[in-house]
Each structure stands twice: as structure tokens, then as C-alpha cells.
Amino acid sequence: MSSNSFAYNEQSGGGEATELGQEATSTISPSGAFGLFSSDMKKNEDLKQMLESNKDSAKLDAMKRIVGMIAKGKNASELFPAVVKNVASKNIEIKKLVYVYLVRYAEEQQDLALLSISTFQRALKDPNQLIRASALRVLSSIRVPIIVPIMMLAIKEASADLSPYVRKNAAHAIQKLYSLDPEQKEMLIEIIEKLLKDKSTLVAGSVVMAFEEVCPDRIDLIHKNYRKLCNLLVDVEEWGQVVIIHMLTRYARTQFVSPWREGDVLEDNEKDFYDSDEEQKEKADKRKRPYAMDPDHRLLIRNTKPLLQSRNAAVVMAVAQLYWHIAPKSEAGIISKSLVRLLRSSREVQYIVLQNIATMSIQRKGMFEPYLKSFYVRSTDPTMIKILKLEILTNLANEANISTLLREFQTYVKSQDKQFAAATIQTIGRCATSITEVSDTCLNGLVCLLSNRDEIVVAESVVVIKKLLQMQPMQHGEIIKHMAKLLDSITVPVARASILWLIGENCERVPKIAPDVLRKTAKSFTSEDDLVKLQILNLGAKLYLTNSKQTKLLTQYILNLGKYDQNYDIRDRTRFIRQLIVPNEKSGALSKYAKKIFLAQKPAPLLESPFKDRDHFQLGTLSHTLNTKATGYLELSNWPEVAPDPSVRNVEVIELAKEWTPAGKAKKENPDKKFYSESEEEEDSSESSSDSESESGSESGEDEEDDRSGDSAEDSGESGSEPEAGKGRAATRSRARGRGDSKDVDKEKENSKTSESSSGESSSIEESSSDSESESESESESESRKVTKEKEKKTKQERNPLTKDVSLLDLDDFNLVSTPVALPTPALSPSLIADLEGLNLSATSSVISVSTPVFVPGKTHVLLHRMSGKGLAAHYFFPRQPCIFGDKMVSVQITLNNTTDQKIENIHVGGKKLPMGMQMHVFNPIESLEPAGSITVSMGIDFCDSTQTASFQLCTKDDCFSVNIQPPVGELLLPVAMSEKDFKKEQGMLSGMNETSTTIIAAPQNFASSVILQKIVNVANVGVVPSGQDNIHRFAAKTVHSGSLMLVTVELKEGSTAQLIINTEKTVIGSVLLRELKPVLSQG
């Protein structure tokens, strides 16, 4: 106890009290129970002696102990004079520790620190970068205006230091100097501008933080550094990533047009059948100028996507808010999975994440509907988390899931946490108002809660019922009577006031009960809460106006009681009511309208989410959390109507490229040469090709005709000429993908035509697809393919030579189309292939061609049992053929049987209940089906690459039966024919996050080639890829909806084990297929 109190005394800085305590204790009992104090005092004396010693070992030991004291939170400020003497020590280890100490206490002991300022200035020239950086930190921690010029000079020198660590500390010092002397702003901006051009990832985060503090409105400083910051982002330290992402979010909102308009243009284009000629012309103009995302806008969205996998919750939250504020709505869905992952973190992180999800779920419910169960409340959750989860569940409630949620809410109401139980009752009330189908059910449930033993539950139920009854008062006279009976037992003031208000509003519907309630409350008027007294006065006034015979005397009695009440609000209300309802010669003109005033129709209350108005704050900020503008908050601007000139972001780097040309190799400067012709062909079927070109550099194209031996030198030239892009992994990946095989050019042309026709459909169909992650990705791919083709058409009309100021990082700003050039295929090293982690977003590839199915299983599934269908039986199976009704649909054959002895007439598909985005092409109605007759019909269903159930009604002339079709994951594929070389190339692009694998253990006879083939094609509709190795079996397919590749590899190992590997962008489908294949391959 005594040691704790002493530690507290030390921390609080009460120096005199501490010394007195030490003297007293040492005098009373130097060696007794209180000897701890004297030993502490001795310890500090020992430290001072050790610091004054001539031996470096003693000084080093003393400094280690002092830094240890600081780390434990103890006050070591009294040692400042002894420590500061050692700032000039020649021992590097002592020096480092002295600077750690000085950074901590320089602000408190400014006068003593100033005495050593010359030493700090000398240390700024020290050969050791850590000493230089530490000296600058100490200097900037001395908060005295007199040394501002010295600090400014030190920062200028440090900003040009060779060490990135020192430059990083210079950026930190800028913020400290600005807070000390804001008049230095202009000079500091010059240093910030210089540091923003720094190519080091260590400096980037710190200088952007300084920019945000000093001159956040100087967007012009960012233009030239925008692409560099986007490309460095993945390699910057975590807190730097957070700062940069927030800054780039604000930048994007000022420099790019809104991507949220693209859906409007597409929808308008679909509805022009009945338009007038003028409207047709307007829409034709729109078609010519569809929304095309700025390549720099796309660069930012693409380069932040990998950071959703970050282990740092703040980085994930920053990327999520960036996608929310600047990404197309069809692509924002991918953040939901990452945010749900953060709910496994600490409760503080959960609180912030849930607040942001609550805001998002109001506007875009579909994003979080697939993760509904993640928001179910756990018993271990603290109250604040429970209430936020309730809020999100309420926002996500709809007709489909409300029954499940209401069952969940019933459990929550029984919780021991009374605040949470009360919040649940409010939630039930909100569900009742937003979903009219369950309003009666919710109301009946709340009435049942009125008999609950818990008074808080009953009180909250009363308040919510009152709000619900306001919306439909005519129907619920019985509930009002029931609540009037409860008035005797309920003591919570808000609940009593609510009941009295309800009875007053509906006094004409309960003419016998209302006067009796007034009689009872008149007795207890003096002991009631102020809130209840006001409602008693209101009830008396309303009854006086509607039923004065029975209640005249009672009302006058209550008004007399109110006249002498202690609360002036009640006295004031009493005088007002008396003058209004009791006519006398002094009464004014308002008395005539007393009945209209008191019994006017009140507007029903609007039960809204408390997060409804928070969306005007940037997500993830303190202002959003507090729901009020915090100091230093920078508002997001509205999207500009017309995008500012994108050329301001171009950087002149041609001279640099010349400097890095390998010796003996003359650069061929031929601006008219269309060196990306093959890649342009690939763009028809791939979004990622065009995206990745922005990082691949101009040199690769100019040297493509040279022999393959020059590739390594060329790569080094690229990385040197564009250090901004060369830092991240993205540059390596894009160079590997930017080059194609000359053999594939002819195939590419054919595929580009087919994908051109299908992508137009997909972009319009997928506008309404669900917000799940897989579907939102396919939307973005199809839309970007359409935009790429629009660009290509324009460039065919006007073939302009490449201008000199084109940036190496800006190859997305133009498209070149020319005769395909045969390019040599560079040999990729295994390490390079391993680096091609899931950045391939292409939906199709030059090597894809759909083949015939290897095997068609005859297994049928019951659609409608003859008992349930009153004699009509239906079975369905998947014929594994391309669907005649649409490229994106899965073909389904349905066999209908009449098992009765009577004719069944008019068999057709009735109402459909499909998830968002799913489409169905039904069979034509069957006029009649003879007894014991059978007929097979075909349907097409677009399952949107998911195993969601398609629900619809199978109807006859007399009945309708609800049926469901759920596809096995293997039937969502089409087999693909490809070579082993192409398979390996595509597999290299789909590694990393796009790869799932598992180990299989089975008997050796189960690993025969024919057995593996039969088992896999029985489960999934895949094509066989020829393999040059006996122990590796390869299969390839593509998804029906989006055309994403699905590559399956079975690699036999020693003994009785094998490895099953699946590579695909559709990671959800890939993992489901893996789970289905594993038991099949394992069993005999």
C-alpha cells in the first residue's frame, strides 16, 4: 500500500511532498517496514553517482535503469541535470539512451535543455543516423519560441539528409514547429513539398501526416506525387497507410467525377423504346459518352484492395471508408467481409467497426445481409456492443429474415442486462413500423410483455406500444383498456405518462374507463413525478372538453392542486389550461378552439435509426463516432461536376529512362510504334491488363523486339526509371502479366468478339445483382470491360502519336490499337510466378475455349414429390450443356409426371422469389398432361455464380406448389480446353489469396488416373487438361455467370497422400468445391 502511494506521489510530480515523506520515513525507521522509501532515495543517489562516474559501463547501466523507470511510468525528471551532462558522451550506446530520456523530459525541463542546445546542434552532424534523428527529436521537443530559427534550420538540413530515418523525423518535427509558431507555415510548406517527392516508404506516411496538419487544403502539392503514393502504399508502415488513405480519399473527392452515376446512364439506355426523337438524341449522346473511370481513380481503388487483408484494424477501416466514399457502388461490397472479420478483435475495435457498419447498413443493406449471423448478440458482449449489433440487425431486417430476427429478439428480451432488454423492445417497435407485414405480430408480442415481472421491460413496452398505436389508433381499443388496468402496478414515470397520454388521446373510444383513470390519478397527484403530473393535467383538460358532466369537478380539483405545485412548469401549465378550457369573461378568442387544440390529430412518431444523420461525416473519424464535428476534422467535398485536368498528375520521367538504359543498347525512340497492341487485344477480355499497364513502364514495349537475353537488363532499367512504382510488389506482377505469347493473338481476336457481345448484357444485368462479394466483383469486371471497348473505338478513329509528357505510371491514360506484333515470351522464374498473387481480375483469357462435357451424371433431384403435388411429380437434373436461353444461365431439365388417373391442366411457373440479381427463363405453359403421362421441359437459371436457392411456384389449373432448385457447385461451371502451358500460366496468375488447397489420404488404388478422372467429373463439370507428368492431374473450367477460371490440380505424393489445389478468383466457390471434392477423392 505504501509503495503504491509513493509511486503515485512520484508520478504526480509533487516533489516537495515526496522529499518530506522520504525525510520523515528515514528518520522514523531507516531500517524498518518503511525502508523502501529510503532505498528508493538511495537508488536515485546511486544513479546520479553512476552517471558522474568515469566508467562508461557504469553510465550505461545507470541509463538502462533510468529508461526502465520511464517505461514503468515512474517519474525520473529529478535526474535530468545528471543525464544531460552525458549528452556529449562518445559512447554511442549511452548517447542513444540519453536522447531517449531527453525526448521524454525536454518539454518539462526546458531551461536545462536549452543549456545543452549547442550539443544538440553538433549532434545533428553526427555520422550515426540514429543520433542525428534523436538530436532533431529533442530539439523539436523544447517548446520555446526563442529557438524557432534554430529548429527551422535543423529541419531544412534534416529534410535533405541521406538517411530516410532522419528525413522521417524531419517530417515529425514540422508538425511540432508549426504548433509552436504557425507563422512559419510558408517555409514549412516548401519543406513538405520537397519531402513529398521522397521515394522512400519510410518517409511517405510521416510527410503526409505533416501535410494534413500544416496545409491540408494545398491539394496542388499532391498532384505530381499522387501515383507514387498509390504505388508505395502497400509497402508503407501501417500507421502511415492510414494517414495516406484518408488523405487520398479527400483528394479523390476533389479530382474525379462521381462513379455512382454510371448505373443511371445504363438504366436510361435500356428504357428508350417509347421515347421521342429528341429524347433519343439525348440518350444517344449519353451512349457516346458513358461514364469512364479515370485511370488514376482506378489505380487508387486497385492498390488499396490488398490492404483489406491487413492485420491492423485501422488500415482495414481506412480502406473500407475509402471504398465507401469513392468506389463504384457495385465494387464496395468487398469491404463487408473484411469488416466482419474485425468483429473478432477487441471490444474497442468492435465498437468503432460496428458504428461504421451501422451507418453503412442504413443506405446499402445488401452489403451485410449475407453476414447477418455475425451480428447476433453474444452473452459475453458488453452492453455498448450489444446495442450496436441490435441497431445493425434492425437496419438489415426485411420481409425475408424478420421471422428469424423476431425469434432472436424474444431471447434478448429475457436478458439480465436491463438496458439491453429495453433497447430490444425499442428495436421490435422499429421493425413493426418499417415492415408492415409483422406490425400486428410485434404489437401482440409487446402486449404479452406487459405481463412480464420485470418493471423496466413492462415500462419500455408501454412506451413503444404508445408509439405504435399512434400509427393505427382505430383498431386497438382493447389494448388501451388493457394498459389502463396496468396503471395501478406500473411505477416507472415514463410508462405511466405514456398510458395517460394514450387514454387522453382516445378518451372518446374508452368513455367509461377514462374518467375512472382520472379519478385514481387525482388521488395520487401530489406524489406523482412531474412528467406524470403534466399528463394528468392534459387528461383532465381533454375529459373536461369531451365529458364535462362526469369530470368537471375532478378537473377543477386537479387544476387547484396544480396551482400550488412546487414545480413552476406545472403551475404554468395549470394556469394556461384553466384559461383555455374554463370559460369566463377574461377568456380570449382561443377558448373557442380549445377542443381543436387539445384533441387535434397528432402526427405519428417516426422511429428512426440514431445513425441516420451520421453519413455526412467521413467514416472512421472521431467526428463520426461522436456524431459531432471534432477539432481538426476535414470535411469530404462533394464530387465535382466536371473532372479537373488529369494531366496535372503526369510526371516527366523520360530523361531518367535514358540514364538507366543498359550500356551498348541504343533506345529506339519511335513514338508511332504501337507496342501494346497485343495487350490491347487482351483488354477486351481482361480488366486487369489495362489496370496493370499503368505500372509497367514504357521501356518494356520499346525493347520487346530485341532478343530474350535483354529481359533482365530491361527489367532493371524499368525499376530504375520509375522508382515510385518499383517499390511495391505490384510492379513485378504487372511486368509479368503485361507480356503475352505471340501464339495467342489470333485466339485473342476471336475471344474479344464473343466477350464484346456478352459484356454488354452482363453490365446491364448485373446492375441489379446482389451485394455479395463474388457478385460485386463480376459486376466491376464487366463494366470495366465495356468502358475499355468504348475507349478502343475512339482510338481507332483518331490515331495520335504518343506525346512526350506521358508518364511511365500513366499508361491507362491512352489506348493504342495496331497490327499485332509477335513478341518473345520471357522465361518466368519460379520466384516471379510465386509473386503473382491474386491481382488477376480477368474474367476470360485468350486461351479459354468451352469444350464439351467429359461426363454427364444421370442423377436427378426431387423438385416436387407426388404426395405434396397432389399427384403431380417433378424431378430435375443438370444436362451440362450451354443454355439456349442465355450465356450466363445454367441449363436445367425438368421432368413432370402425372401419377393420378385424371388429366392435369395448365402446368406453368407462377410467382418467383429469387435473390437479387438472379434471373430465370421459365418453360412455356403445358396445356394438359394425360394420366400416367410424362414430359420433359427446359429452363435456364442465372445463379450469379452462387449456390443460392431459386424459389418459385409450380402451378396447375387448381393449385400452386412452392418448389426450390439449389445447384451443386460443380454445375455452375463450363468445361474449358487449354494446354498445359496455358494452365500453368493462368495458375501462376491465380496464386496467393486465390488459391485453396488440402491434403487427401486414400488407398493407392483410388489414385489411379481413371478413378481420379471419374470422381472429379462426376462432382464438377470440368475439362481435362493434358499433363506431361503421371503424378499430376489437371482440370479446367470457367464459371457460367462471370467466366472466371476454375483450375483444379490433383498432385500425387509419396505413399497414400495427394494434394488437391484449386485456383480461382471466385474464392467462395473454390472453397465450396474443395469441400465437396475432398471426401469424394478420399473414399474408396
Side-chain angles (χ1 to χ4, degrees):
M1 187 73 185
S2 55
S3 61
N4 286 345
S5 61
F6 177 62
Y8 173 78
N9 215 353
E10 279 190 324
Q11 284 180 347
S12 62
E16 290 179 14
T18 309
E19 287 169 13
L20 288 170
Q22 287 171 348
E23 285 175 16
T25 51
S26 57
T27 313
I28 296 166
S29 176
S31 59
F34 297 102
L36 178 62
F37 290 95
S38 56
S39 66
D40 270 357
M41 185 180 176
K42 270 188 184 176
K43 191 196 296 181
N44 285 351
E45 287 298 326
D46 290 347
L47 288 171
K48 287 177 184 175
Q49 288 174 12
M50 290 167 74
L51 287 169
E52 290 168 7
S53 166
N54 294 326
K55 294 182 180 178
D56 281 355
S57 58
K59 289 181 179 178
L60 186 61
D61 189 37
M63 285 309 305
K64 284 179 180 176
R65 285 165 59 184
I66 292 167
V67 172
M69 286 169 63
I70 296 170
K72 291 175 185 174
K74 293 184 179 179
N75 185 9
S77 58
E78 62 176 23
L79 295 165
F80 194 92
V83 173
V84 82
K85 289 176 188 174
N86 292 286
V87 76
S89 173
K90 292 180 181 178
N91 186 306
I92 196 77
E93 293 301 321
I94 295 173
K95 221 171 192 178
K96 284 181 193 174
L97 293 173
V98 167
Y99 277 116
V100 168
Y101 177 90
L102 292 177
V103 168
R104 168 69 180 81
Y105 287 110
E107 199 166 340
E108 294 177 20
Q109 307 273 352
Q110 291 176 356
D111 295 339
L112 286 169
L114 279 171
L115 296 174
S116 304
I117 202 160
S118 58
T119 311
F120 303 146
Q121 286 178 282
R122 281 199 304 276
L124 289 169
K125 308 287 186 186
D126 195 278
N128 188 307
Q129 59 175 356
L130 294 175
I131 300 300
R132 295 199 301 276
S134 298
L136 182 60
R137 288 171 67 194
V138 174
L139 205 57
S140 59
S141 299
I142 304 172
R143 318 280 292 158
V144 180
I146 197 169
I147 66 160
V148 165
I150 298 172
M151 282 174 66
M152 177 59 77
L153 192 63
I155 291 170
K156 276 186 178 177
E157 288 179 0
S159 66
D161 197 283
L162 291 174
S163 165
Y165 180 67
V166 177
R167 299 198 298 273
K168 176 190 178 79
N169 279 277
H172 293 164
I174 288 171
Q175 301 163 60
K176 294 182 182 179
L177 180 54
Y178 178 69
S179 64
L180 182 63
D181 185 6
E183 291 179 7
Q184 304 293 325
K185 182 175 180 177
E186 290 307 315
M187 293 180 72
L188 291 174
I189 289 174
E190 290 176 18
I191 300 171
I192 289 172
E193 186 174 7
K194 179 178 163 187
L195 285 173
L196 278 169
K197 295 173 185 172
D198 202 301
K199 302 177 181 77
S200 171
T201 54
L202 200 63
V203 181
S206 301
V207 69
V208 170
M209 188 70 228
F211 169 83
E212 292 282 80
E213 287 288 325
V214 178
C215 53
D217 52 333
R218 287 290 303 273
I219 293 293
D220 57 294
L221 299 180
I222 304 298
H223 291 321
K224 298 287 183 189
N225 303 293
Y226 172 80
R227 291 171 189 150
K228 181 196 71 177
L229 287 172
C230 288
N231 288 313
L232 289 185
L233 194 55
V234 75
D235 294 317
V236 176
E237 43 90 23
E238 290 169 338
W239 297 111
Q241 287 173 345
V242 174
V243 174
I244 294 172
I245 290 169
H246 277 280
M247 184 275 291
L248 291 178
T249 305
R250 287 195 307 109
Y251 180 87
R253 287 292 285 259
T254 61
Q255 299 301 309
F256 308 126
V257 293
S258 171
W260 302 335
R261 303 187 302 191
E262 71 185 288
D264 302 338
V265 174
L266 289 169
E267 284 170 19
D268 287 343
N269 287 344
E270 291 167 4
K271 298 175 185 173
D272 54 7
F273 187 76
Y274 292 106
D275 288 348
S276 66
D277 292 342
E278 290 180 7
E279 288 171 331
Q280 286 283 355
K281 283 180 185 176
E282 287 175 17
K283 296 196 173 179
D285 290 342
K286 274 190 180 179
R287 268 193 217 97
K288 288 175 192 170
R289 299 179 288 98
Y291 168 76
M293 182 179 281
D294 189 300
D296 288 326
H297 193 171
R298 170 60 63 195
L299 178 71
L300 175 58
I301 292 171
R302 189 178 70 244
N303 284 14
T304 50
K305 184 178 178 181
L307 297 180
L308 286 170
Q309 309 295 328
S310 174
R311 63 183 178 180
N312 188 311
V315 175
V316 178
M317 192 64 244
V319 177
Q321 66 82 29
L322 179 135
Y323 265 76
W324 177 260
H325 290 300
I326 73 164
K329 291 182 179 177
S330 59
E331 295 179 34
I334 64 167
I335 65 174
S336 50
K337 188 174 184 180
S338 301
L339 289 176
V340 169
R341 172 172 66 85
L342 294 184
L343 297 182
R344 303 191 189 108
S345 310
S346 64
R347 58 177 60 184
E348 292 80 11
V349 172
Q350 284 184 57
Y351 180 72
I352 297 298
V353 172
L354 286 169
Q355 278 201 324
N356 288 281
I357 292 176
T359 302
M360 293 181 193
S361 59
I362 293 171
Q363 293 183 24
R364 304 180 199 170
K365 288 186 180 184
M367 279 175 59
F368 296 97
E369 277 179 3
Y371 307 101
L372 188 71
K373 290 187 179 177
S374 300
F375 303 111
Y376 284 177
V377 173
R378 298 178 180 179
S379 57
T380 53
D381 287 336
T383 305
M384 61 180 183
I385 302 293
K386 289 177 180 174
I387 291 172
L388 280 173
K389 284 185 174 179
L390 262 184
E391 178 63 37
I392 294 166
L393 290 174
T394 313
N395 293 341
L396 297 180
N398 56 34
E399 293 85 349
N401 59 29
I402 187 64
S403 55
T404 311
L405 289 179
L406 286 177
R407 282 199 299 275
E408 191 76 10
F409 293 158
Q410 282 177 350
T411 311
Y412 297 167
V413 169
K414 298 170 188 171
S415 169
Q416 295 300 312
D417 185 342
K418 300 309 171 197
Q419 187 183 348
F420 172 54
T424 305
I425 293 166
Q426 291 176 0
T427 296
I428 294 170
R430 272 179 58 196
C431 290
T433 57
S434 59
I435 303 168
T436 51
E437 289 86 345
V438 295
S439 55
D440 288 340
T441 310
C442 292
L443 196 55
N444 294 336
L446 291 170
V447 171
C448 293
L449 288 177
L450 294 177
S451 55
N452 196 295
R453 291 179 184 177
D454 195 323
E455 195 173 323
I456 295 172
V457 172
V458 175
E460 200 64 43
S461 302
V462 167
V463 175
V464 174
I465 288 171
K466 170 212 159 190
K467 291 175 181 175
L468 293 179
L469 291 185
Q470 271 184 266
M471 297 174 187
Q472 38 188 354
M474 304 297 292
Q475 309 166 11
H476 301 292
E478 289 302 317
I479 295 176
I480 295 169
K481 291 176 185 175
H482 181 62
M483 290 172 74
K485 292 175 187 173
L486 289 173
L487 200 61
D488 295 333
S489 55
I490 293 176
T491 58
V492 178
V494 180
R496 289 178 68 80
S498 297
I499 294 173
L500 290 170
W501 185 91
L502 263 179
I503 292 168
E505 280 296 295
N506 300 280
C507 56
E508 292 173 317
R509 292 190 189 91
V510 284
K512 294 182 180 177
I513 293 173
D516 195 51
V517 169
L518 186 64
R519 177 183 61 79
K520 286 182 178 177
T521 51
K523 288 182 184 178
S524 58
F525 183 88
T526 51
S527 59
E528 295 284 4
D529 189 85
D530 291 344
L531 189 66
V532 182
K533 286 178 181 177
L534 289 171
Q535 291 304 330
I536 294 171
L537 288 168
N538 287 349
L539 176 62
K542 289 169 186 174
L543 287 173
Y544 186 93
L545 294 169
T546 57
N547 187 3
S548 58
K549 283 184 182 178
Q550 283 184 286
T551 58
K552 185 175 181 180
L553 291 173
L554 261 177
T555 305
Q556 287 179 349
Y557 172 68
I558 290 167
L559 290 173
N560 286 332
L561 289 174
K563 186 178 178 181
Y564 301 105
D565 196 88
Q566 291 180 341
N567 188 301
Y568 60 83
D569 278 340
I570 293 164
R571 296 198 299 273
D572 196 41
R573 178 74 62 90
T574 304
R575 282 194 291 272
F576 164 71
I577 289 174
R578 191 188 294 275
Q579 290 298 320
L580 197 59
I581 66 171
V582 182
N584 56 41
E585 60 277 1
K586 292 181 183 177
S587 295
L590 276 178
S591 294
K592 301 177 205 172
Y593 306 106
K595 193 166 185 177
K596 285 186 179 179
I597 290 170
F598 276 103
L599 297 171
Q601 189 69 35
K602 275 63 168 193
L606 201 59
L607 300 177
E608 288 184 334
S609 167
F611 289 84
K612 186 174 183 295
D613 299 323
R614 290 198 191 192
D615 55 353
H616 61 275
F617 291 117
Q618 186 176 351
L619 294 183
T621 58
L622 179 63
S623 299
H624 176 269
T625 303
L626 301 176
N627 198 22
T628 184
K629 191 171 179 180
T631 308
Y633 173 71
L634 301 168
E635 289 188 0
L636 282 179
S637 60
N638 294 324
W639 294 102
E641 287 297 319
V642 180
D645 181 15
S647 64
V648 294
R649 290 185 288 279
N650 291 346
V651 184
E652 181 65 57
V653 287
I654 291 173
E655 290 181 11
L656 280 174
K658 287 179 184 173
E659 286 175 23
W660 281 90
T661 303
K665 243 188 175 182
K667 297 294 285 181
K668 299 177 185 177
E669 299 205 5
N670 184 4
D672 293 324
K673 182 164 179 172
K674 313 297 191 291
F675 56 86
Y676 263 96
S677 57
E678 182 179 341
S679 298
E680 281 300 309
E681 293 283 331
E682 286 181 17
E683 278 181 6
D684 284 338
S685 58
S686 169
E687 171 198 1
S688 61
S689 298
S690 64
D691 288 343
S692 63
E693 281 170 19
S694 64
E695 300 159 20
S696 61
S698 62
E699 291 179 12
S700 61
E702 292 169 4
D703 285 344
E704 291 286 353
E705 289 182 346
D706 292 354
D707 58 288
R708 202 176 299 177
S709 64
D711 280 344
S712 60
E714 178 190 328
D715 286 351
S716 67
E718 280 180 308
S719 61
S721 64
E722 46 167 295
E724 296 89 359
K727 290 286 181 184
R729 294 190 298 268
T732 313
R733 297 175 193 141
S734 62
R735 286 202 296 273
R737 284 211 316 274
R739 305 171 182 140
D741 194 334
S742 59
K743 296 176 186 175
D744 299 329
V745 173
D746 295 332
K747 285 183 186 178
E748 190 63 75
K749 286 181 181 176
E750 294 169 12
N751 287 334
S752 67
K753 289 174 187 173
T754 56
S755 66
E756 192 165 332
S757 62
S758 64
S759 66
E761 294 172 18
S762 65
S763 60
S764 59
I765 291 169
E766 287 174 4
E767 274 301 309
S768 59
S769 69
S770 71
D771 289 298
S772 68
E773 183 179 347
S774 61
E775 289 161 8
S776 66
E777 283 180 7
S778 65
E779 280 179 38
S780 62
E781 290 159 14
S782 61
E783 288 162 7
S784 60
R785 287 200 296 274
K786 183 169 181 177
V787 169
T788 309
K789 284 190 284 297
E790 292 283 348
K791 285 185 185 175
E792 191 173 276
K793 287 174 188 171
K794 289 180 183 176
T795 49
K796 281 180 183 174
Q797 293 169 3
E798 38 186 59
R799 300 189 177 188
N800 295 329
L802 213 114
T803 54
K804 284 187 180 180
D805 62 346
V806 171
S807 164
L808 285 181
L809 303 176
D810 196 28
L811 293 180
D812 277 347
D813 284 345
F814 58 90
N815 281 333
L816 300 171
V817 179
S818 75
T819 310
V821 180
L823 305 176
T825 307
L828 297 181
S829 66
S831 61
L832 189 57
I833 293 173
D835 277 343
L836 299 173
E837 295 173 346
L839 281 183
N840 181 27
L841 301 176
S842 62
T844 57
S845 171
S846 59
V847 294
I848 292 180
S849 60
V850 177
S851 62
T852 55
V854 180
F855 174 73
V856 180
K859 183 181 178 183
T860 60
H861 309 268
V862 176
L863 182 66
L864 180 65
H865 193 272
R866 60 187 179 82
M867 300 296 288
S868 308
K870 298 183 180 178
L872 176 65
H875 295 78
Y876 67 94
F877 86 106
F878 298 91
R880 292 191 174 178
Q881 295 294 335
C883 184
I884 59 173
F885 304 118
D887 293 342
K888 295 174 179 290
M889 291 189 171
V890 176
S891 183
V892 184
Q893 288 192 1
I894 299 176
T895 304
L896 301 165
N897 297 297
N898 183 357
T899 61
T900 65
D901 52 2
Q902 295 177 350
K903 187 190 294 184
I904 300 177
E905 296 181 346
N906 190 20
I907 304 172
H908 63 282
V909 173
K912 292 179 280 188
K913 194 171 184 182
L914 305 176
M916 191 178 294
M918 194 179 284
Q919 297 197 354
M920 178 187 288
H921 190 287
V922 301
F923 59 84
N924 294 325
I926 299 164
E927 289 183 9
S928 64
L929 188 59
E930 298 297 325
S934 176
I935 188 170
T936 301
V937 292
S938 292
M939 290 176 62
I941 304 175
D942 181 1
F943 287 104
C944 297
D945 288 349
S946 71
T947 54
Q948 294 183 86
T949 303
S951 302
F952 58 96
Q953 288 190 320
L954 190 61
C955 300
T956 63
K957 182 181 177 182
D958 305 314
D959 299 291
C960 281
F961 311 102
S962 294
V963 293
N964 302 310
I965 294 180
Q966 184 169 19
V969 69
E971 304 302 336
L972 300 174
L973 307 173
L974 288 174
V976 165
M978 65 196 314
S979 66
E980 183 179 8
K981 176 185 171 185
D982 293 329
F983 184 96
K984 288 179 179 177
K985 177 184 171 186
E986 294 294 338
Q987 191 177 35
M989 295 179 185
L990 291 169
S991 58
M993 292 181 291
N994 296 327
E995 180 174 292
T996 51
S997 62
T998 186
T999 303
I1000 299 163
I1001 301 171
Q1005 62 268 25
N1006 291 335
F1007 287 149
S1009 298
S1010 57
V1011 176
I1012 291 174
L1013 172 65
Q1014 184 57 41
K1015 285 183 176 181
I1016 286 187
V1017 297
N1018 192 39
V1019 172
N1021 186 16
V1022 294
V1024 181
V1025 177
S1027 176
Q1029 299 160 279
D1030 294 337
N1031 66 323
I1032 297 180
H1033 304 277
R1034 297 185 174 94
F1035 306 88
K1038 69 171 188 174
T1039 58
V1040 176
H1041 176 84
S1042 63
S1044 299
L1045 274 180
M1046 180 77 66
L1047 306 178
V1048 180
T1049 308
V1050 180
E1051 186 175 349
L1052 306 181
K1053 305 284 186 183
E1054 292 181 3
S1056 57
T1057 62
Q1059 188 172 22
L1060 173 63
I1061 306 166
I1062 294 180
N1063 300 79
T1064 180
E1065 293 164 5
K1066 301 289 181 183
T1067 50
V1068 176
I1069 295 182
S1071 59
V1072 174
L1073 182 60
L1074 189 83
R1075 285 202 301 271
E1076 290 194 9
L1077 284 174
K1078 183 177 179 180
V1080 172
L1081 291 171
S1082 299
Q1083 65 194 15

